[in-house]
Amino acid sequence: MEEIIRVENLHKRFGKLNVLKGIDLTVSRGEIVSVIGPSGSGKSTLLRCLNHLEAADRGSISFEGEFIAQADKNGNAVYKKSKEVLAVCSRLGMVFQNFNLFPHKTALENLMEAPLTVKKADKAETERKAMELLAKVGLTDKKDSYPGQLSGGQQQRVAIARALAMEPEIMLFDEPTSALDPELIGEVLEVIKQLAAESMTMVIVTHEMGFAREISDRVIFMDDGRIVAEGAPDDIFVNPEHPRVKAFLGKVISRG
Amino acid sequence: MDFDYLSKITFFIMKGTGVTLQIYVVTLVFSIPLGIICAIGKISRFKALRAVIWAYTWLFRGTPLLLQLVFFYYGLTAMTGGYIQLKPLSAAFMAFSINYGAYFTEIFRSGIQSVSKGQYEAAKALGMSPWQTMRRVVLPQAVKVVLPPMGNEAITLIKDTALCSVITVTEILRNSQVTVARDARVDSFLVAAAIYLCLTFAIMQVFRVLEKRFAYYKS
Ligand SMILES: Nc1ncnc2c1ncn2[C@@H]1O[C@H](COP(=O)(O)OP(=O)(O)OP(=O)(O)O)[C@@H](O)[C@H]1O
Ligand SMILES: [Mg+2]
């Protein structure tokens, strides 16, 4: 299968805190990878390194076979020029826990912003596609609403559509439902499932274990900056071998 | 009431109003862009630039505007041995633009910094360049935040223009002082007060409308 992202020996530290301690990961086209693990284990940081919101310290990251950051002979990550990195950013869609919609723009304008400014796309065509995406996430009637007028679930659906508007090769989700009231989680998960059915490549950091098990081709368990276990959903959720995975799942399940 | 006298002095003071408004507009036209540029510089990663802008805002917010005005009019001339000799109005333009630029720098800086980190990240994740992010995402949101403090400055500026009377600029206060001295009657001061009140009222209305226009979204 064609590789979209390959990460080798990725290290990231914040000051003295070593957050990622040598991550190796590849994601192939059409694959759905869930990342689970305890709080503080580095899941968000990994995702943010994948789309260059954080710069890795050591290791290499490539996108569709091209190095974005390459390890030099000492292992330190050397990045391409920021312009080239930015061009890659626009081909990865990112969905944040807190939506991060542009509050001064309507739902429709949120979707159109990046295609118009980054791709300099045609306005009428962009609007047509944006309306299609809003229909896809079930928010056609909210096209003229500002984010402040939408529920959390609606905002997150707009945010997903906004990322899709750039026609990304891969979608990255960082706990897309963690900031939502329980009754709004379902509508967002539905949209993600719909993307899965269309074989969108996705990396999803989530605390929704049932959802991860249902949707993923592969599940990654992170602990303390490392990938501790990795495998098919059933291997991780049904018969976890690794004691730390067992302990984590035990805690999560007993919690709710 | 001596309407004949009142209308005569009002006409004279109104001529000063033209000059006051000239100082007002020129100051805003130069100080707002200056403030935006310095605000962006002040949050940039260039340490030397940040230090220079810090010194600029410290100097011009830390000394009286009147002193700055006098400096640009008399001080520059004395220091350069008469080489630079600004006209009163030019000195007023310079002092006011630079002084208000310093205040606007601080206002815009806090406005820009009120925009959350998540907005920058969302823009970057969509492939927007830092400049596109500033222009399309950050500044439009900062405008809403800075409007109330800008409104305060805009009103203060009307009143501050009266300082220019000290360097012989024939604005509202200067013209009324001249009539008071000539006629030994204080009516002119009342006329001046009335004009200042009208001007500040107009500015207040402008900002009320602007703030309403930006109330269309919650940040
Ligand atoms: N910008 C930063 N500066 C300093 N420390 C940071 C920064 N971002 C993350 N960290 C630290 O790095 C560690 C890993 O954080 P990260 O957000 O990647 O964890 P996570 O697995 O996503 O956790 P959670 O499940 O709570 O979201 C944490 O200890 C966190 O405090
Ligand atoms: Mg996280």
Side-chain angles (χ1 to χ4, degrees):
Chain A
M1 261 198 292
E2 184 197 353
E3 263 174 35
I4 296 194
I5 288 182
R6 171 182 284 273
V7 170
E8 279 168 353
N9 195 31
L10 183 72
H11 289 256
K12 173 70 187 173
R13 60 160 76 222
F14 291 110
K16 285 211 165 91
L17 185 68
N18 252 322
V19 177
L20 298 178
K21 304 174 178 171
I23 302 278
D24 295 298
L25 172 70
T26 56
V27 182
S28 304
R29 192 174 297 283
E31 201 178 14
I32 299 173
V33 179
S34 292
V35 182
I36 62 171
S39 184
S41 56
K43 308 180 296 293
S44 297
T45 307
L46 172 60
L47 214 57
R48 293 162 59 80
C49 284
L50 292 184
N51 81 340
H52 315 294
L53 289 177
E54 301 287 358
D57 298 320
R58 298 168 61 74
S60 63
I61 305 172
S62 44
F63 181 75
E64 295 189 324
E66 251 183 78
F67 280 116
I68 307 306
Q70 191 167 11
D72 66 10
K73 64 178 188 301
N74 300 319
N76 295 322
V78 180
Y79 275 84
K80 282 192 159 181
K81 288 203 203 79
S82 57
K83 247 198 180 141
E84 294 168 62
V85 174
L86 204 56
V88 171
C89 286
S90 71
R91 300 173 64 195
L92 298 139
M94 177 87 173
V95 175
F96 300 88
Q97 189 173 343
N98 299 314
F99 332 130
N100 291 339
L101 288 173
F102 303 134
H104 59 306
K105 292 180 184 290
T106 63
L108 182 63
E109 288 167 349
N110 263 278
L111 267 63
M112 293 174 63
E113 179 58 38
L116 291 182
T117 41
V118 177
K119 286 188 176 166
K120 315 268 185 249
D122 173 65
K123 193 160 179 203
E125 177 66 7
T126 303
E127 179 164 351
R128 193 185 58 73
K129 283 188 190 159
M131 284 307 297
E132 269 176 33
L133 285 170
L134 281 178
K136 182 178 191 157
V137 298
L139 290 171
T140 306
D141 55 329
K142 297 292 183 192
K143 74 180 173 73
D144 295 321
S145 300
Y146 290 92
Q149 301 167 323
L150 300 174
S151 74
Q154 290 169 336
Q155 288 189 56
Q156 193 60 299
R157 286 187 280 155
V158 173
I160 293 173
R162 176 178 70 174
L164 292 172
M166 285 299 278
E167 300 174 329
E169 302 294 324
I170 177 170
M171 288 283 282
L172 310 175
F173 294 84
D174 190 3
E175 299 194 29
T177 59
S178 292
L180 299 177
D181 292 335
E183 72 273 16
L184 301 177
I185 291 176
E187 63 190 59
V188 172
L189 295 185
E190 273 315 308
V191 170
I192 302 176
K193 280 182 200 165
Q194 199 186 330
L195 292 178
E198 295 166 11
S199 20
M200 171 62 85
T201 315
M202 298 191 271
V203 179
I204 308 170
V205 174
T206 184
H207 285 293
E208 297 287 328
M209 295 305 154
F211 174 71
R213 185 176 168 190
E214 180 188 339
I215 196 174
S216 314
D217 298 311
R218 185 152 52 105
V219 177
I220 285 172
F221 178 85
M222 280 183 72
D223 191 18
D224 193 24
R226 291 192 179 83
I227 294 180
V228 174
E230 181 172 0
D234 284 351
D235 297 340
I236 300 288
F237 290 111
V238 185
N239 333 296
E241 279 170 19
H242 202 286
R244 269 191 280 188
V245 183
K246 256 188 210 160
F248 173 73
L249 289 176
K251 250 191 255 162
V252 172
I253 288 159
S254 67
R255 238 197 290 144
Chain B
M1 284 284 255
D2 182 348
F3 281 104
D4 211 34
Y5 177 70
L6 262 188
S7 69
K8 234 170 43 198
I9 57 171
T10 303
F11 179 75
F12 181 56
I13 296 170
M14 279 310 271
K15 280 206 277 188
T17 308
V19 177
T20 293
L21 288 178
Q22 210 180 329
I23 301 169
Y24 191 77
V25 171
V26 169
T27 301
L28 289 184
V29 163
F30 284 102
S31 61
I32 291 176
L34 181 64
I36 293 176
I37 292 167
C38 291
I40 293 174
K42 204 164 182 185
I43 56 167
S44 75
R45 59 201 157 84
F46 305 111
K47 217 170 169 180
L49 182 64
R50 289 204 308 261
V52 168
I53 295 169
W54 182 86
Y56 157 56
T57 53
W58 175 60
L59 188 60
F60 282 87
R61 298 196 316 159
T63 57
L65 174 55
L66 182 58
L67 177 65
Q68 295 161 24
L69 195 61
V70 167
F71 172 81
F72 276 100
Y73 187 51
Y74 302 108
L76 265 188
T77 311
M79 273 171 59
T80 59
Y83 186 73
I84 297 178
Q85 183 141 32
L86 296 178
K87 294 206 177 68
L89 202 52
S90 312
F93 291 161
M94 296 264 292
F96 273 70
S97 297
I98 296 175
N99 177 276
Y100 271 77
Y103 283 94
F104 288 147
T105 298
E106 283 308 309
I107 290 175
F108 283 118
R109 181 195 54 73
S110 67
I112 291 172
Q113 286 183 334
S114 76
V115 176
S116 73
K117 209 171 133 234
Q119 294 288 304
Y120 291 87
E121 295 187 343
K124 185 177 180 195
L126 289 163
M128 293 172 78
S129 69
W131 176 239
Q132 288 168 337
T133 304
M134 193 43 84
R135 197 166 47 85
R136 305 281 311 170
V137 176
V138 177
L139 287 180
Q141 292 183 58
V143 168
K144 179 178 167 127
V145 177
V146 303
L147 270 180
M150 286 285 286
N152 278 336
E153 292 300 317
I155 288 169
T156 307
L157 175 56
I158 286 279
K159 296 176 288 175
D160 276 353
T161 55
L163 292 172
C164 298
S165 61
V166 170
I167 58 165
T168 74
V169 174
T170 55
E171 43 67 69
I172 297 173
L173 185 65
R174 176 84 184 181
N175 282 6
S176 46
Q177 280 171 330
V178 167
T179 11
V180 166
R182 185 191 63 199
D183 306 338
R185 292 177 63 165
V186 294
D187 308 42
S188 300
F189 283 150
L190 298 179
V191 174
I195 294 175
Y196 283 122
L197 280 173
C198 289
L199 292 178
T200 48
F201 183 74
I203 303 296
M204 278 161 64
Q205 295 316 304
V206 168
F207 274 86
R208 212 173 56 99
V209 170
L210 281 177
E211 281 177 40
K212 245 193 191 153
R213 266 199 55 189
F214 277 89
Y216 70 91
Y217 76 88
K218 285 193 296 243
S219 21

